[in-house]
Amino acid sequence: ASGPYVTYITMLRLVTLALALVGASAFTPVSKPVARVAPMQVAVEDMAGVQNPVGLFDPMGLATSGNDETLLWFRAAELKHSRVTMLATAGWLVNSAGVFFPGDLTHGTKFSDLGSKPLEAWAAVPFAGKFQILLFAGCVEFFSEVKKPHYMKGGPMGLQCDPLGIYENMTPEMRKTRMNRELANGRLAMIG
């Protein structure tokens, strides 16, 4: 037998196996105690993203609703959401313009078959494709959270991908300028 039902059952079995393997690792003993690192002292006024013409925009007072770790968690969430919405906005515009990946999305379904209306294109993506997208996003989130040192303990925020070492060679002023640009563009994408 073949068809969508068999594909669905196969996918369900693979997901169940993956969850069983991940769940089993939760019961393994910790080999050595982890040293607790003190959180860095953070002043919201000194963080990237406080820029003209608005300055510090916090109408709900979230920046003062917790400790430094809470503030760093809020900033990391803002950065992650900014990056996702910038990619989504770019994807929406590219798809609306009729630009598609070459080749097949699945056997018999080309990327161009999805159409140039983004919401209808998403509805036409098969279940396995949507599952792969969500699985990839979950993996990115997982690996950004298990990085040491954690961003709430002074480590870098978000997924760091700089194979050419461009960020490492920037001056602190240039880094802050780039971070301000990324946050400003991400905030605009979240609004749009």
Side-chain angles (χ1 to χ4, degrees), residues 5-17 127-129 131-132 135:
Y5 179 74
V6 173
T7 304
Y8 176 76
I9 294 299
T10 304
M11 182 70 66
L12 187 61
R13 287 179 181 159
L14 290 172
V15 169
T16 303
L17 176 64
F127 170 77
F131 178 76
Q132 289 173 12
L135 182 66

Side-chain angles (χ1 to χ4, degrees), residues 121-185:
W122 176 252
V125 173
F127 170 77
K130 291 176 183 174
F131 178 76
Q132 289 173 12
I133 292 168
L134 294 175
L135 182 66
F136 176 75
C139 288
V140 169
E141 179 71 14
F142 175 77
F143 286 112
S144 72
E145 288 295 323
V146 297
K147 237 181 355 186
K148 302 293 182 207
H150 194 266
Y151 59 83
M152 290 172 42
K153 305 290 184 199
M157 286 189 191
L159 184 65
Q160 305 300 315
C161 182
D162 186 18
L164 301 177
I166 296 170
Y167 185 78
E168 294 300 321
N169 294 323
M170 290 183 186
T171 65
E173 296 81 26
M174 182 55 87
R175 287 182 185 181
K176 188 165 184 173
T177 300
R178 295 291 177 125
M179 290 169 60
N180 281 334
R181 288 178 187 166
E182 181 179 24
L183 286 167
N185 289 328

Side-chain angles (χ1 to χ4, degrees), residues 12-175:
L12 187 61
R13 287 179 181 159
L14 290 172
V15 169
T16 303
L17 176 64
L19 290 173
L21 293 174
V22 170
S25 67
F27 299 104
T28 58
V30 177
S31 59
K32 62 181 178 178
V34 178
R36 183 148 173 89
V37 179
M40 46 185 284
Q41 299 297 316
V42 179
V44 69
E45 298 83 14
D46 297 333
M47 294 179 78
V50 179
Q51 51 193 332
N52 291 328
V54 177
L56 174 62
F57 181 74
D58 186 20
M60 296 175 50
L62 294 176
T64 57
S65 66
N67 57 19
D68 288 345
E69 288 181 350
T70 306
L71 179 61
L72 290 170
W73 186 82
F74 284 149
R75 176 47 55 94
E78 178 185 23
L79 184 60
K80 288 175 190 179
H81 287 93
S82 294
R83 289 174 175 174
V84 168
T85 54
M86 285 188 285
L87 286 171
T89 301
W92 185 284
L93 294 172
V94 167
N95 182 260
S96 296
V99 177
F100 306 104
F101 286 117
D104 292 346
L105 175 65
T106 61
H107 298 291
T109 305
K110 295 181 180 181
F111 284 101
S112 58
D113 293 343
L114 298 178
S116 61
K117 295 182 180 176
L119 293 178
E120 292 175 15
W122 176 252
V125 173
F127 170 77
K130 291 176 183 174
F131 178 76
Q132 289 173 12
I133 292 168
L134 294 175
L135 182 66
F136 176 75
C139 288
V140 169
E141 179 71 14
F142 175 77
F143 286 112
S144 72
E145 288 295 323
V146 297
K147 237 181 355 186
K148 302 293 182 207
H150 194 266
Y151 59 83
M152 290 172 42
K153 305 290 184 199
M157 286 189 191
L159 184 65
Q160 305 300 315
C161 182
D162 186 18
L164 301 177
I166 296 170
Y167 185 78
E168 294 300 321
N169 294 323
M170 290 183 186
T171 65
E173 296 81 26
M174 182 55 87
R175 287 182 185 181

